[in-house]
Amino acid sequence: MTVLRISDVGPPPLPGGLESGARLGPNAGPGPKVLYVCRAIAHFVYHEAVIVALLRRGARVKVLFDQAWSSKQTIQFQDDALNAFRMRYPQVEIGWSVRRSDRWRRWIFPAREIRSYASYLRRGPCTTEFYVNRWLGYVPEWVRRRRKVERFQALLTAPAVDTALRLLERVTPADAGVVAHLREEAPAVVVVSPSNMRFSEEIEYVKAAKRLSMPVALHTMTWDNLSTKGVHHIVPDQVFLWNEIHYDDIREFHGFPEDVCCIAGSPFLERWFDDAEPEDRESLCERMGIDPGQPYVIYLGSSRNIAKDEAWVVEGIHAELRRSDDPRLRRTSIVIRPHPANVQVFRRLRLDGVVTWPREGALPQTAGLHHEFRSMLAHATATIGINTTAMSDSLLADCPCLTPLLREYDRTQRLANHFKVLADRDVMVVCEDLRAVERNLTDLLDGIDVTRHRRRGFKAWFARPRGVDRSAGDVMAERIVAMVKPRAAQDRGAVGSSQRIADRIWEARADDAFRNYLDARDVACAMLDEAGRDAETASGWMDASALAVAELRAGAGRAMGDAPEDYAAGDEGHENAVRALHAALAEGDDQALWPGEPEGLGLYGYGGKAGRINLSGAVVRYALLTLYRAGFLGEFLKGKRRTLAVVGAGWGGIALAFKTRFPNAKVILLDEPEALLRAATYLRTVAPELKLASATGYSLGAVLPLLNDIDVLLMPLYLLDRIKTLAVDVAMLDAVSGSREPTALVEALARLDSFGCARLCAVVDRSAVRRRMAGFWPSDSLSTGQIVDPATGLVGIEGASADPEALVPLGRLGSVVVGR
């Protein structure tokens, strides 16, 4: 392979018509420019999936590395991932980052390490002496000399000292050189990683980006990055986390607010979700130097920080296997896969059936190295390790992992927080000693794999918590693009139509509505996974564009046949029909039930006292009036805390109107995941003050105890039986603004009836819905009413100067009340 060093890589060709040296604005070109600032070349593999996803979304990407940290080539092949990437994506620029060089450096760098050390001292049982002492090695000498002085240690951990160190960080200005570099690069978004390792240089780009009001995000690099490294000293606009472990760590150890946290999954572990076939066993074993006809286990070596010399552990495992009563184990080979920074310790071993592969150690950074590692795991009986990232690789590859608890490694294994998380989830086989390792290997050879089921659930929970079909790299790229600020208004006049359209798209992507959509879509994906739904059956709303989200309310009306364009046509007959319909609804409402609709997300209609009015909004108004006429609102009108279940989420209009009118009420929305996605996006955007919760099978147990503090609960239909014990006072079926195929919704209403809900009604626009309801309840128990009939217009309204054709989208708008 041709080796491409950074010095060999020139800038990509300039777009046609630009001379060398011409300046490109922050949003010039086909997409926004993203500046990715990393610590070292060896870390590139952790970010590659995100960068590729950004390129696929049309972004321009430049990656910066710190030159000094990149020169510390402690890991063989550390450049190979970048070299291979440059071959495939030559359009990506590569360069060196700038270091802080002003007088503040001598103060702020030691202060950061002191604050990280003090953080370890405060963590108590959440860390170990090993990690405390490791960070002690990074603080100034005058601090190390006083490490055993109790009064000094108490001073370091005092809240006042932490406040003072935070204040020093705030008053320390951004470095002029880094600021100048950012101005020169003019990115639309800055992404920094990891920014909390010892003597971090890349953190200066977070500070400079904040100084220039550039959107900046942090990318959490490794599984233990937040629990065994330093403190994050500056809060970015967004931090990307792997899973709930990271979320807990960033909140507890780093004090980040919830609103900047995004659980995206692990881009680094994306490689374990491909379907590549492993290499055949015979050729692999011959290359490693072991008998392909006999079983083998892989010993996963840890770094020197975790276990300085593990050779004795391999000797102990070898001895247990050779004296085993099981002849299969006596013939089992051991393949040592050493950590690439800790290879030397195994060179002294001269044991039969024990080999080291790769001989010099290697991280699976390139496609070839990863495929070989994957093949090794595919054919192995199990892996054995103390505490290394490769153990999580084994679990993700569905290879059983055994971990012996050895007293010599208590500080870096059993007591380590990130190790305990895996052990507590029972995805590894934790062995009390090396003898237990031998017994568990016998079980595995006998086909007894006690962790198989949990491993498969772990893969989604640990690496793709947003859904097994949602790439973590794509989740991050989506949110990075959504961070792009819209082009300033004064800059738009000089650009053409295509650029104005592009600007409108980027504005929509940067809007809160699209971010709300992305978050809600991740939950909907998890629901679809739980429901076992095929991707082919998912609606187009699962992949809505930013512009579609920005026009969500208009799109909901259009789906009902209420075209927003009709309201701008100057059609007097249409306007009179809409106003007459709302007047008829207002006439029967002496409780001011309808609060009107909030602006936003493409709301359309004619002006009225309570805001814009339209046909689709009239359905919401009619739903409230139906509840009132049925006598179901008495307790709500008295201000009591009661619960309404709405079967058929629509766009969230009924839930919002009801909660606005009855602030003490609780609303449960029941529908398919795609419909809940639309409602969640709408409610979070136009009513951010509402306390919303979306329940999945995984989260329901945590959500239900908090129900008294929730305004609106969004729940998929497949979980309906899980809430049969909840007290639902009133249930309504929205068969108009909700699903156009109401069979499942009518069945859900019947289920609520069977749970004991005595007040049931429906808003319908088709006789077919009434017939389906008659299949669950006796016809004489169904009281029907009607306000709109295509043949007679508005029932009970005489002489309305309205065009009856305007009301056709509503069909036979009426109600059904289930009598008792």
Side-chain angles (χ1 to χ4, degrees):
M1 175 184 295
T2 302
V3 177
L4 292 175
R5 304 296 176 188
I6 286 184
S7 57
D8 301 327
V9 180
L14 292 172
L18 289 178
E19 298 178 359
S20 178
R23 298 286 297 129
L24 290 173
N27 291 322
K33 178 177 180 179
V34 177
L35 188 68
Y36 228 106
V37 186
C38 305
R39 180 179 176 91
I41 291 175
H43 295 163
F44 176 77
V45 67
Y46 292 94
H47 313 297
E48 182 174 357
V50 184
I51 294 170
V52 170
L54 284 168
L55 294 174
R56 288 173 178 167
R57 291 182 174 274
R60 295 175 294 128
V61 182
K62 182 169 185 176
V63 186
L64 302 180
F65 301 101
D66 182 85
Q67 187 171 10
W69 284 114
S70 295
S71 67
K72 299 179 183 295
Q73 189 157 342
T74 58
I75 300 175
Q76 191 177 18
F77 311 124
Q78 71 170 13
D79 294 340
D80 285 4
L82 179 61
N83 294 335
F85 176 85
R86 284 291 300 168
M87 293 291 189
R88 299 194 309 274
Y89 303 101
Q91 71 269 36
V92 175
E93 295 184 71
I94 307 294
W96 298 125
S97 57
V98 173
R99 287 191 163 195
R100 176 181 278 275
S101 59
D102 60 8
R103 60 189 178 89
W104 287 90
R105 183 182 178 92
R106 62 178 299 192
W107 303 107
I108 194 60
F109 271 64
R112 288 170 179 161
E113 307 311 325
I114 291 171
R115 183 166 173 247
S116 292
Y117 173 60
S119 171
Y120 277 107
L121 293 176
R122 286 192 296 270
R123 294 181 192 181
C126 293
T127 190
T128 69
E129 183 183 0
F130 168 80
Y131 293 108
V132 174
N133 290 336
R134 184 172 73 172
W135 219 267
L136 179 65
Y138 307 147
V139 299
E141 175 62 28
W142 62 269
V143 176
R144 292 200 294 272
R145 287 199 304 267
R146 294 167 174 80
R147 67 184 182 279
K148 296 183 180 180
V149 180
E150 292 185 6
R151 292 180 60 184
F152 181 73
Q153 295 289 74
L155 178 65
L156 273 185
T157 57
V161 172
D162 188 64
T163 300
L165 291 172
R166 289 173 182 267
L167 179 62
L168 177 61
E169 186 68 66
R170 284 199 298 270
V171 301
T172 299
D175 179 75
V178 179
V179 170
H181 191 200
L182 275 185
R183 283 192 172 126
E184 179 183 358
E185 294 292 345
V189 182
V190 179
V191 182
V192 176
S193 182
S195 101
N196 68 325
M197 295 180 74
R198 59 191 173 104
F199 313 125
S200 168
E201 299 287 344
E202 62 274 9
I203 189 177
E204 300 301 335
Y205 279 82
V206 182
K207 184 180 282 286
K210 300 285 277 188
R211 160 72 176 78
L212 296 174
S213 297
M214 289 180 179
V216 60
L218 287 181
H219 174 171
T220 305
M221 193 170 74
T222 66
W223 72 318
D224 61 347
N225 222 151
L226 300 176
S227 58
T228 68
K229 303 300 186 289
V231 170
H232 280 296
H233 301 281
I234 304 172
V235 178
D237 298 304
Q238 193 155 104
V239 57
F240 296 110
L241 310 168
W242 284 20
N243 45 45
E244 293 175 5
I245 305 172
H246 278 177
Y247 177 81
D248 292 341
D249 288 346
I250 200 77
R251 301 275 285 140
E252 180 178 0
F253 301 143
H254 305 265
F256 275 27
E258 181 181 1
D259 60 353
V260 304
C261 301
C262 174
I263 296 178
S266 170
F268 178 59
L269 300 177
E270 282 300 302
R271 55 198 174 171
W272 296 111
F273 288 86
D274 63 47
D275 298 321
E277 288 293 324
E279 182 180 356
D280 69 274
R281 180 187 181 93
E282 185 171 353
S283 61
L284 174 66
C285 290
E286 287 179 357
R287 190 166 67 254
M288 293 191 296
I290 61 175
D291 185 349
Q294 303 299 332
Y296 69 88
V297 296
I298 305 173
Y299 185 83
L300 302 171
S302 300
S303 68
R304 290 178 60 84
N305 290 331
I306 300 297
K308 190 174 183 179
D309 185 353
E310 299 170 276
W312 70 274
V313 181
V314 176
E315 289 174 325
I317 295 171
H318 179 267
E320 291 293 342
L321 297 183
R322 292 299 176 263
R323 61 172 170 256
S324 173
D325 294 333
D326 189 332
R328 296 170 300 178
L329 289 183
R330 294 198 297 272
R331 296 191 298 268
T332 295
S333 299
I334 301 176
V335 178
I336 302 171
R337 185 177 175 87
H339 190 284
N342 199 21
V343 179
Q344 297 296 328
V345 296
F346 298 106
R347 295 196 189 283
R348 66 177 176 80
L349 295 180
R350 298 290 186 272
L351 302 171
D352 67 289
V354 177
V355 300
T356 298
W357 192 267
R359 292 190 176 89
E360 299 301 325
L363 294 178
Q365 292 186 329
T366 65
L369 291 171
H370 170 67
H371 184 257
E372 182 180 70
F373 185 28
R374 188 190 198 107
S375 301
M376 291 173 66
L377 293 171
H379 299 302
T381 301
T383 61
I384 305 169
I386 302 300
N387 188 8
T388 175
T389 301
M391 292 163 66
S392 65
D393 289 333
S394 175
L395 298 171
L396 294 169
D398 200 23
C399 179
C401 181
L402 313 182
T403 179
L405 295 179
L406 304 176
R407 183 182 58 188
E408 291 81 356
Y409 301 125
D410 268 358
R411 296 184 307 161
T412 56
Q413 183 202 39
R414 185 175 60 85
L415 300 177
N417 190 51
H418 57 286
F419 177 87
K420 288 190 288 185
V421 168
L422 297 185
D424 290 346
R425 293 191 72 88
D426 290 332
V427 290
M428 304 183 297
V429 179
V430 179
C431 306
E432 64 272 17
D433 53 28
L434 297 182
R435 177 64 180 161
V437 171
E438 185 262 343
R439 291 196 301 270
N440 279 284
L441 286 175
T442 296
D443 287 344
L444 288 169
L445 290 174
D446 289 337
I448 304 172
D449 187 352
V450 296
T451 63
R452 173 175 293 171
H453 179 72
R454 290 189 292 273
R455 283 199 308 272
R456 292 175 181 176
F458 168 82
K459 185 173 183 178
W461 174 82
F462 189 74
R464 278 191 176 179
R466 296 297 191 179
V468 292
D469 293 327
R470 288 283 284 139
S471 157
D474 193 56
V475 171
M476 282 185 56
E478 208 166 39
R479 281 159 174 74
I480 290 169
V481 170
M483 295 174 69
V484 176
K485 291 184 176 181
R487 180 188 294 268
Q490 60 268 25
D491 295 337
R492 296 179 183 170
V495 299
S497 297
S498 61
Q499 186 61 60
R500 284 195 292 272
I501 294 172
D503 286 345
R504 186 183 171 204
I505 293 173
W506 294 121
E507 286 177 16
R509 287 180 175 174
D511 192 77
D512 287 341
F514 193 58
R515 299 184 188 185
N516 292 334
Y517 165 77
L518 296 176
D519 288 335
R521 188 181 68 179
D522 290 335
V523 178
C525 287
M527 292 177 180
L528 291 173
D529 285 341
E530 288 182 349
R533 286 267 304 277
D534 294 331
E536 290 77 10
T537 65
S539 77
W541 188 250
M542 294 300 297
D543 191 25
S545 69
L547 291 180
V549 173
E551 297 290 319
L552 184 153
R553 180 61 185 87
R558 192 175 287 110
M560 295 171 60
D562 185 25
E565 296 78 15
D566 292 342
Y567 294 78
D571 185 342
E572 184 177 350
H574 182 276
E575 181 174 352
N576 287 340
V578 174
R579 293 191 181 279
L581 175 58
H582 277 269
L585 295 171
E587 186 174 316
D589 179 8
D590 57 5
Q591 296 293 333
L593 297 174
W594 190 61
E597 287 196 69
E599 290 289 333
L601 293 182
L603 179 65
Y604 61 97
Y606 302 117
K609 293 181 180 179
R612 300 197 202 196
I613 58 174
N614 50 50
L615 295 181
S616 54
V619 175
V620 174
R621 196 167 189 173
Y622 183 60
L624 299 176
L625 192 58
T626 296
L627 291 168
Y628 178 55
R629 288 174 174 173
F632 292 169
L633 297 183
E635 299 292 290
F636 293 99
L637 289 167
K638 294 176 183 178
K640 295 185 178 181
R641 299 178 67 86
R642 296 292 184 264
T643 300
L644 168 72
V646 181
V647 183
W651 67 87
I654 293 178
L656 178 58
F658 196 86
K659 185 63 187 176
T660 303
R661 178 60 180 83
F662 303 107
N664 290 333
K666 188 179 315 303
V667 180
I668 300 176
L669 281 180
L670 294 159
D671 211 326
E672 298 295 343
E674 298 95 325
L676 295 177
L677 163 60
R678 182 169 54 244
T681 303
Y682 176 78
L683 292 172
R684 291 189 185 279
T685 302
V686 303
E689 70 283 357
L690 287 182
K691 297 177 182 177
L692 267 64
S694 295
T696 63
Y698 179 81
S699 67
L700 186 60
V703 169
L704 291 181
L706 305 175
L707 203 54
N708 287 336
D709 299 322
I710 295 171
D711 293 323
V712 180
L713 175 64
L714 298 99
M715 179 173 293
L717 293 175
Y718 67 83
L719 291 180
L720 186 56
D721 286 345
R722 299 272 297 274
I723 63 166
K724 62 174 61 178
T725 58
L726 292 183
V728 176
D729 301 282
V730 180
M732 163 172 273
L733 166 62
D734 175 11
V736 182
S737 60
S739 170
R740 305 310 294 170
E741 176 44 59
T743 301
L745 302 184
V746 174
E747 291 175 354
L749 189 69
R751 293 292 293 160
L752 290 171
D753 184 7
S754 70
F755 297 163
C757 180
R759 299 177 178 88
L760 308 168
C761 64
V763 177
V764 300
D765 62 348
R766 287 162 289 165
S767 58
V769 181
R770 296 181 178 89
R771 288 195 299 272
R772 286 190 176 91
M773 293 185 68
F776 289 93
W777 295 275
S779 297
D780 58 1
S781 70
L782 301 179
S783 301
T784 61
Q786 194 168 295
I787 189 170
V788 175
D789 187 308
T792 60
L794 300 177
V795 175
I797 304 298
E798 301 294 339
S801 56
D803 181 0
E805 291 186 4
L807 305 180
V808 168
L810 296 182
R812 302 175 66 89
L813 180 61
S815 61
V816 180
V817 178
V818 180
R820 298 296 180 188

Short mmCIF file of all heavy atoms in Angstrom, two decimals, residues 621-656:
data_model
loop_
_atom_site.label_atom_id
_atom_site.label_comp_id
_atom_site.label_asym_id
_atom_site.label_seq_id
_atom_site.Cartn_x
_atom_site.Cartn_y
_atom_site.Cartn_z
N ARG A 621 -61.62 20.54 17.19
CA ARG A 621 -62.67 21.27 17.89
C ARG A 621 -63.90 20.38 18.08
O ARG A 621 -64.54 20.38 19.15
CB ARG A 621 -63.02 22.53 17.10
CG ARG A 621 -63.79 23.57 17.85
CD ARG A 621 -63.81 24.87 17.08
NE ARG A 621 -64.36 25.95 17.89
CZ ARG A 621 -64.38 27.23 17.53
NH1 ARG A 621 -63.85 27.59 16.35
NH2 ARG A 621 -64.91 28.16 18.31
N TYR A 622 -64.24 19.63 17.06
CA TYR A 622 -65.41 18.76 17.13
C TYR A 622 -65.17 17.61 18.12
O TYR A 622 -66.09 17.17 18.81
CB TYR A 622 -65.73 18.20 15.75
CG TYR A 622 -66.97 17.35 15.71
CD1 TYR A 622 -68.21 17.88 16.06
CD2 TYR A 622 -66.91 16.02 15.32
CE1 TYR A 622 -69.35 17.11 16.03
CE2 TYR A 622 -68.05 15.23 15.28
CZ TYR A 622 -69.28 15.78 15.64
OH TYR A 622 -70.41 15.02 15.62
N ALA A 623 -63.93 17.13 18.21
CA ALA A 623 -63.61 16.06 19.16
C ALA A 623 -63.86 16.53 20.59
O ALA A 623 -64.43 15.80 21.41
CB ALA A 623 -62.15 15.63 18.98
N LEU A 624 -63.43 17.76 20.92
CA LEU A 624 -63.67 18.29 22.26
C LEU A 624 -65.15 18.44 22.54
O LEU A 624 -65.64 18.14 23.64
CB LEU A 624 -62.95 19.63 22.41
CG LEU A 624 -61.42 19.62 22.24
CD1 LEU A 624 -60.87 21.03 22.32
CD2 LEU A 624 -60.76 18.73 23.28
N LEU A 625 -65.88 18.90 21.53
CA LEU A 625 -67.33 19.09 21.69
C LEU A 625 -68.04 17.75 21.86
O LEU A 625 -69.00 17.63 22.65
CB LEU A 625 -67.88 19.84 20.47
CG LEU A 625 -69.32 20.40 20.59
CD1 LEU A 625 -69.43 21.34 21.78
CD2 LEU A 625 -69.71 21.10 19.30
N THR A 626 -67.54 16.72 21.19
CA THR A 626 -68.12 15.38 21.34
C THR A 626 -67.97 14.88 22.77
O THR A 626 -68.90 14.32 23.36
CB THR A 626 -67.45 14.40 20.36
OG1 THR A 626 -67.74 14.81 19.02
CG2 THR A 626 -67.94 12.98 20.57
N LEU A 627 -66.80 15.07 23.34
CA LEU A 627 -66.56 14.67 24.73
C LEU A 627 -67.51 15.41 25.68
O LEU A 627 -68.05 14.82 26.63
CB LEU A 627 -65.11 14.94 25.11
CG LEU A 627 -64.04 14.08 24.44
CD1 LEU A 627 -62.65 14.66 24.68
CD2 LEU A 627 -64.09 12.64 24.97
N TYR A 628 -67.72 16.69 25.40
CA TYR A 628 -68.58 17.51 26.26
C TYR A 628 -70.04 17.06 26.15
O TYR A 628 -70.73 16.88 27.16
CB TYR A 628 -68.42 18.98 25.86
CG TYR A 628 -69.29 19.94 26.64
CD1 TYR A 628 -69.25 19.97 28.03
CD2 TYR A 628 -70.14 20.82 25.98
CE1 TYR A 628 -70.04 20.86 28.76
CE2 TYR A 628 -70.93 21.71 26.69
CZ TYR A 628 -70.88 21.72 28.07
OH TYR A 628 -71.67 22.59 28.78
N ARG A 629 -70.52 16.89 24.93
CA ARG A 629 -71.91 16.49 24.73
C ARG A 629 -72.20 15.10 25.30
O ARG A 629 -73.33 14.81 25.71
CB ARG A 629 -72.24 16.50 23.24
CG ARG A 629 -72.34 17.90 22.65
CD ARG A 629 -72.54 17.82 21.15
NE ARG A 629 -72.79 19.14 20.57
CZ ARG A 629 -72.85 19.38 19.26
NH1 ARG A 629 -72.68 18.38 18.41
NH2 ARG A 629 -73.09 20.60 18.81
N ALA A 630 -71.18 14.24 25.34
CA ALA A 630 -71.37 12.90 25.90
C ALA A 630 -71.38 12.91 27.42
O ALA A 630 -71.65 11.88 28.04
CB ALA A 630 -70.27 11.98 25.39
N GLY A 631 -71.05 14.07 28.01
CA GLY A 631 -71.02 14.16 29.46
C GLY A 631 -69.77 13.60 30.09
O GLY A 631 -69.76 13.23 31.27
N PHE A 632 -68.70 13.55 29.32
CA PHE A 632 -67.47 12.93 29.79
C PHE A 632 -66.50 13.92 30.44
O PHE A 632 -65.46 13.50 30.96
CB PHE A 632 -66.73 12.24 28.62
CG PHE A 632 -67.45 11.04 28.08
CD1 PHE A 632 -67.02 10.46 26.89
CD2 PHE A 632 -68.53 10.47 28.74
CE1 PHE A 632 -67.66 9.34 26.37
CE2 PHE A 632 -69.18 9.36 28.23
CZ PHE A 632 -68.75 8.79 27.05
N LEU A 633 -66.79 15.22 30.40
CA LEU A 633 -65.82 16.22 30.85
C LEU A 633 -66.12 16.80 32.23
O LEU A 633 -65.43 17.73 32.65
CB LEU A 633 -65.73 17.36 29.82
CG LEU A 633 -65.24 16.97 28.42
CD1 LEU A 633 -65.13 18.21 27.55
CD2 LEU A 633 -63.89 16.25 28.49
N GLY A 634 -67.11 16.27 32.91
CA GLY A 634 -67.48 16.86 34.20
C GLY A 634 -66.33 16.97 35.17
O GLY A 634 -66.08 18.04 35.75
N GLU A 635 -65.61 15.87 35.37
CA GLU A 635 -64.49 15.88 36.32
C GLU A 635 -63.35 16.76 35.82
O GLU A 635 -62.67 17.43 36.60
CB GLU A 635 -63.99 14.45 36.54
CG GLU A 635 -65.03 13.49 37.13
CD GLU A 635 -65.37 13.86 38.56
OE1 GLU A 635 -64.52 13.69 39.44
OE2 GLU A 635 -66.51 14.34 38.78
N PHE A 636 -63.12 16.76 34.53
CA PHE A 636 -62.06 17.60 33.97
C PHE A 636 -62.39 19.08 34.17
O PHE A 636 -61.51 19.87 34.51
CB PHE A 636 -61.89 17.30 32.47
CG PHE A 636 -61.36 15.93 32.17
CD1 PHE A 636 -62.21 14.90 31.81
CD2 PHE A 636 -60.01 15.67 32.24
CE1 PHE A 636 -61.74 13.64 31.52
CE2 PHE A 636 -59.50 14.41 31.94
CZ PHE A 636 -60.38 13.38 31.58
N LEU A 637 -63.66 19.45 33.95
CA LEU A 637 -64.06 20.85 34.10
C LEU A 637 -63.94 21.33 35.54
O LEU A 637 -63.80 22.52 35.80
CB LEU A 637 -65.50 21.04 33.61
CG LEU A 637 -65.68 20.96 32.09
CD1 LEU A 637 -67.16 20.84 31.73
CD2 LEU A 637 -65.06 22.18 31.40
N LYS A 638 -63.99 20.40 36.49
CA LYS A 638 -63.81 20.76 37.90
C LYS A 638 -62.34 20.87 38.28
O LYS A 638 -62.01 21.15 39.43
CB LYS A 638 -64.49 19.71 38.78
CG LYS A 638 -66.00 19.68 38.65
CD LYS A 638 -66.59 18.53 39.48
CE LYS A 638 -68.10 18.46 39.30
NZ LYS A 638 -68.68 17.31 40.07
N GLY A 639 -61.46 20.64 37.32
CA GLY A 639 -60.03 20.77 37.57
C GLY A 639 -59.39 19.55 38.20
O GLY A 639 -58.26 19.63 38.69
N LYS A 640 -60.08 18.42 38.22
CA LYS A 640 -59.53 17.23 38.84
C LYS A 640 -58.51 16.56 37.91
O LYS A 640 -58.56 16.71 36.70
CB LYS A 640 -60.65 16.26 39.20
CG LYS A 640 -61.59 16.80 40.27
CD LYS A 640 -62.62 15.75 40.69
CE LYS A 640 -63.52 16.31 41.80
NZ LYS A 640 -64.52 15.30 42.25
N ARG A 641 -57.62 15.81 38.53
CA ARG A 641 -56.58 15.11 37.77
C ARG A 641 -57.15 13.83 37.19
O ARG A 641 -57.34 12.84 37.92
CB ARG A 641 -55.36 14.82 38.64
CG ARG A 641 -54.70 16.06 39.21
CD ARG A 641 -53.52 15.70 40.10
NE ARG A 641 -52.45 15.10 39.34
CZ ARG A 641 -51.50 15.77 38.70
NH1 ARG A 641 -51.51 17.09 38.74
NH2 ARG A 641 -50.55 15.15 38.05
N ARG A 642 -57.47 13.84 35.94
CA ARG A 642 -58.05 12.69 35.27
C ARG A 642 -57.26 12.40 33.99
O ARG A 642 -56.48 13.24 33.53
CB ARG A 642 -59.52 12.94 34.94
CG ARG A 642 -60.40 13.11 36.17
CD ARG A 642 -60.52 11.80 36.95
NE ARG A 642 -61.44 11.91 38.07
CZ ARG A 642 -61.08 12.15 39.33
NH1 ARG A 642 -59.79 12.33 39.61
NH2 ARG A 642 -61.98 12.20 40.29
N THR A 643 -57.49 11.23 33.42
CA THR A 643 -56.70 10.78 32.27
C THR A 643 -57.59 10.53 31.06
O THR A 643 -58.62 9.86 31.16
CB THR A 643 -55.94 9.48 32.62
OG1 THR A 643 -55.08 9.72 33.72
CG2 THR A 643 -55.11 9.00 31.42
N LEU A 644 -57.17 11.10 29.93
CA LEU A 644 -57.82 10.86 28.64
C LEU A 644 -56.87 10.04 27.77
O LEU A 644 -55.70 10.40 27.60
CB LEU A 644 -58.13 12.18 27.93
CG LEU A 644 -58.54 12.08 26.46
CD1 LEU A 644 -59.95 11.48 26.34
CD2 LEU A 644 -58.47 13.44 25.77
N ALA A 645 -57.37 8.95 27.22
CA ALA A 645 -56.61 8.18 26.23
C ALA A 645 -57.15 8.51 24.85
O ALA A 645 -58.36 8.40 24.62
CB ALA A 645 -56.71 6.69 26.51
N VAL A 646 -56.27 8.91 23.94
CA VAL A 646 -56.66 9.20 22.57
C VAL A 646 -56.07 8.11 21.68
O VAL A 646 -54.85 7.98 21.57
CB VAL A 646 -56.17 10.58 22.11
CG1 VAL A 646 -56.62 10.85 20.68
CG2 VAL A 646 -56.69 11.67 23.04
N VAL A 647 -56.93 7.33 21.07
CA VAL A 647 -56.50 6.26 20.18
C VAL A 647 -56.48 6.82 18.76
O VAL A 647 -57.52 7.13 18.19
CB VAL A 647 -57.45 5.05 20.27
CG1 VAL A 647 -56.92 3.93 19.38
CG2 VAL A 647 -57.58 4.58 21.70
N GLY A 648 -55.29 6.98 18.23
CA GLY A 648 -55.12 7.67 16.95
C GLY A 648 -54.47 9.01 17.22
O GLY A 648 -55.14 9.97 17.61
N ALA A 649 -53.15 9.09 17.04
CA ALA A 649 -52.41 10.28 17.48
C ALA A 649 -52.62 11.48 16.58
O ALA A 649 -52.46 12.62 17.02
CB ALA A 649 -50.91 9.95 17.56
N GLY A 650 -52.98 11.26 15.30
CA GLY A 650 -53.07 12.39 14.38
C GLY A 650 -51.73 13.11 14.32
O GLY A 650 -50.68 12.49 14.29
N TRP A 651 -51.80 14.43 14.32
CA TRP A 651 -50.55 15.19 14.40
C TRP A 651 -50.28 15.65 15.83
O TRP A 651 -49.32 16.36 16.08
CB TRP A 651 -50.57 16.38 13.45
CG TRP A 651 -51.57 17.45 13.84
CD1 TRP A 651 -51.35 18.49 14.71
CD2 TRP A 651 -52.92 17.59 13.40
NE1 TRP A 651 -52.47 19.27 14.84
CE2 TRP A 651 -53.46 18.74 14.04
CE3 TRP A 651 -53.73 16.88 12.52
CZ2 TRP A 651 -54.77 19.16 13.83
CZ3 TRP A 651 -55.03 17.30 12.32
CH2 TRP A 651 -55.54 18.42 12.97
N GLY A 652 -51.13 15.24 16.77
CA GLY A 652 -51.00 15.66 18.16
C GLY A 652 -51.93 16.79 18.52
O GLY A 652 -51.87 17.31 19.65
N GLY A 653 -52.82 17.18 17.60
CA GLY A 653 -53.68 18.33 17.82
C GLY A 653 -54.67 18.14 18.95
O GLY A 653 -54.88 19.05 19.77
N ILE A 654 -55.34 16.98 19.04
CA ILE A 654 -56.31 16.75 20.12
C ILE A 654 -55.60 16.74 21.47
O ILE A 654 -56.09 17.33 22.44
CB ILE A 654 -57.06 15.42 19.88
CG1 ILE A 654 -57.95 15.54 18.65
CG2 ILE A 654 -57.89 15.05 21.10
CD1 ILE A 654 -58.71 14.26 18.31
N ALA A 655 -54.45 16.08 21.55
CA ALA A 655 -53.71 16.02 22.81
C ALA A 655 -53.33 17.42 23.28
O ALA A 655 -53.48 17.75 24.46
CB ALA A 655 -52.46 15.16 22.64
N LEU A 656 -52.85 18.26 22.37
CA LEU A 656 -52.43 19.60 22.75
C LEU A 656 -53.62 20.46 23.17
O LEU A 656 -53.57 21.16 24.19
CB LEU A 656 -51.68 20.26 21.60
CG LEU A 656 -51.21 21.70 21.86
CD1 LEU A 656 -50.29 21.76 23.07
CD2 LEU A 656 -50.51 22.27 20.63
#
